[in-house]
Amino acid sequence: MHNEEYEYAGFWIRVGATFIDVFLLSIILLPLTMMVYGDLTWKREGLILGSADFLINYVLPFVATILFWLYKSATPGKMVLNIKVVDADTGEKLSVGQSIGRYFAYIPAMAILMIGIIWVVFDKRKQGWHDKLAKTVVIRKRKK
């Protein structure tokens, strides 16, 4: 993507966007989970308490993230910080396939000590492994 108006968004602004997203998701998902599971929410022994937990804490964030990427090119945290996720070659919005691929590409990016996420610091296009796998970049308007 070659557009003089934009630059690649770096590691720390992306971390900030993630913190905002995690906070917003928590204030939505935690009360929903507690309404269904009560104190079991805090005493979970496995990854999933039941079908409602799966829907609330896995399916809902997945669907919301994909829809935000498709329609806004950014999650709420990225929107607050004025950064967006676009196709690495065209600079256009992501396709459905790219969005789904990017979402699941976070798994290998975080699997080994978060190396695939930290990779953003060292990459010339500031791409993490999830970006490389999905052929995306995160951009922001260039400071003038």
Side-chain angles (χ1 to χ4, degrees), residues 112-123:
I112 304 168
L113 303 173
M114 306 271 291
I115 292 172
I117 303 295
I118 295 166
W119 196 263
V120 170
V121 173
F122 305 103
D123 190 82

Side-chain angles (χ1 to χ4, degrees), residues 28-42 52 56:
I28 295 167
L29 303 179
L30 188 56
L32 288 173
T33 305
M34 289 186 71
M35 284 188 330
V36 177
Y37 293 100
D39 287 343
L40 286 177
T41 302
W42 309 109
I56 294 167

Side-chain angles (χ1 to χ4, degrees), residues 76-87:
K78 283 182 175 55
M79 290 189 301
V80 166
L81 296 176
N82 294 313
I83 59 179
K84 59 185 181 176
V85 184
V86 297
D87 179 273

